[in-house]
């Protein structure tokens, strides 16, 4: 496990070196935060308590979305492009023969990346948003800890989805198209465009049951205090269940791909 801790720390340091890109990202997240916030204000003026949120909760949701956009890699920007390129060029064969688990290696690096983006691109927009709007901030440290756990599980679910998509390059040779479809699905079904509580009928039930809701909708509701007690445990179980299922699917697909590489190499 020490190896993967080192890989995670390396992932954090790797993204910390791009200071200009981080500053530009903070600026972009802040600008879009203000644009979406004023859109929500207009919408909630017409429909108060829409989706069960008051205006302060809705605005808090907006800024949480900006904080978690890169943390959960909802628009990419993680390991997936590099992994797809290594598969396309055949360099993945070297990775598979290394004395380290391929999935855990990339997961550790992605956790380091997510930690940096949460600190580097999440805190400043959230602070600026709280200065401009009346946001809901948890008073209890336990709520903050519960939120961080929900975010961690959301990052793992996000990784597991992107790992599966990246492994598709073993058969497609170029996973760019599949990755773009994945990004669109992530933005829509995570609640980044609108809270999933606003989706009507069957669409809302399906959207909340899909793994992408673990990336934003669930952590945001934990932050807003909508998941407490047994309901909070149920939210964690939902996220953990999807994480385990998707990681297991990724490990199975990795095993199939490894056998294919061995056969072709032989």
């Amino acid at each position: 496990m020490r190896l993967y801790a080192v890989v995670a720390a390396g992932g954090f340091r790797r993204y910390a070196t791009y200071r200009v890109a981080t500053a530009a990202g903070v600026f972009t997240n802040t600008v879009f935060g203000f644009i979406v916030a004023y859109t929500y204000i207009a919408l909630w003026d017409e429909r108060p308590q829409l989706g069960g949120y008051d205006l302060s909760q809705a605005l808090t949701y907006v800024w949480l979305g900006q904080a978690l956009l890169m943390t959960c890699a909802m628009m990419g920007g993680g390991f997936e492009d590099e992994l797809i390129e290594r598969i396309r060029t055949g360099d993945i064969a070297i990775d598979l023969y290394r004395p380290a688990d391929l999935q855990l290696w990339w997961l550790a690096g992605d956790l380091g990346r997510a930690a940096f983006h949460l600190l580097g691109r999440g805190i400043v927009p959230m602070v600026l948003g709280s200065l401009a709007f009346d946001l809901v901030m948890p008073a209890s440290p336990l709520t903050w800890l519960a939120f961080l756990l929900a975010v961690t599980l959301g990052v793992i679910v996000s990784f597991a989805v992107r790992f599966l998509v990246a492994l598709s390059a073993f058969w497609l040779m170029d996973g760019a198209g599949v990755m773009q479809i994945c990004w669109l699905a992530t933005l829509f079904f995570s609640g980044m465009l609108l809270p999933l509580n606003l989706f009507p009928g069957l669409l809302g039930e399906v959207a909340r049951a899909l793994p992408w809701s673990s990336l934003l909708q669930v952590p945001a509701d934990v932050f807003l205090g909508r998941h407490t007690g047994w309901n909070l445990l149920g939210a964690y179980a939902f996220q953990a269940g999807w994480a385990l299922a998707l990681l297991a699917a990724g490990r199975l697909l990795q095993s199939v791909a490894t056998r294919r590489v061995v056969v072709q190499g032989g």
Side-chain angles (χ1 to χ4, degrees):
M1 294 303 295
R2 182 180 179 182
L3 170 64
Y4 302 112
V6 171
V7 173
F12 186 98
R13 289 194 301 269
R14 174 183 179 183
Y15 284 88
T17 59
Y18 301 108
R19 298 174 184 175
V20 175
T22 299
V26 169
F27 175 78
T28 302
N29 286 133
T30 302
V31 170
F32 274 96
F34 275 97
I35 293 173
V36 178
Y38 282 113
T39 303
Y40 272 42
I41 290 174
L43 181 59
W44 258 258
D45 281 344
E46 294 294 325
R47 298 283 301 276
Q49 299 297 323
L50 187 62
Y53 298 122
D54 60 29
L55 180 58
S56 293
Q57 291 174 324
L59 292 173
T60 304
Y61 185 97
V62 169
W63 290 101
L64 286 172
Q66 295 304 311
L68 297 181
L69 178 63
M70 287 301 296
T71 302
C72 292
M74 298 183 201
M75 297 181 66
F79 69 94
E80 54 272 16
D81 290 337
E82 183 179 352
L83 179 54
I84 289 173
E85 180 63 16
R86 292 188 70 81
I87 294 173
R88 189 185 67 81
T89 60
D91 291 340
I92 191 66
I94 301 173
D95 301 335
L96 293 172
Y97 281 110
R98 286 174 178 165
D101 184 83
L102 181 71
Q103 188 183 58
L104 289 178
W105 177 281
W106 290 102
L107 173 58
D110 201 55
L111 288 174
R113 175 207 59 80
F116 171 76
H117 281 309
L118 182 62
L119 297 174
R121 290 186 58 169
I123 292 179
V124 174
M126 193 74 183
V127 170
L128 294 175
S130 67
L131 294 175
F133 304 99
D134 181 23
L135 304 186
V136 177
M137 294 294 175
S140 171
L142 294 178
T143 303
W144 286 97
L145 291 175
F147 168 69
L148 290 176
L149 178 55
V151 170
T152 301
L153 290 171
V155 170
I156 295 174
V157 171
S158 172
F159 164 82
V161 171
R162 289 177 288 127
F163 187 72
L164 279 169
V165 172
L167 290 184
S168 69
F170 275 108
W171 291 269
L172 301 177
M173 296 305 296
D174 185 0
V178 179
M179 188 59 66
Q180 289 176 355
I181 294 174
C182 179
W183 295 343
L184 292 174
T186 301
L187 288 175
F188 186 78
F189 288 112
S190 66
M192 189 66 200
L193 300 180
L194 279 174
L196 301 182
N197 295 341
L198 274 63
F199 288 17
L202 181 61
L203 175 61
E205 294 179 9
V206 171
R208 288 187 291 272
L210 292 174
W212 293 289
S213 64
S214 299
L215 278 58
L216 174 57
Q217 185 68 58
V218 173
D221 282 340
V222 171
F223 188 91
L224 294 171
R226 293 169 66 91
H227 291 309
T228 58
W230 289 107
N231 195 23
L232 177 60
L233 293 178
Y236 287 153
F238 172 81
Q239 290 180 293
W242 270 117
L244 291 173
L246 292 169
L247 288 173
R251 187 160 292 277
L252 177 61
L253 200 61
Q254 173 186 321
S255 177
V256 173
T258 300
R259 287 198 295 270
R260 179 178 181 180
V261 170
V262 171
V263 170
Q264 290 179 344

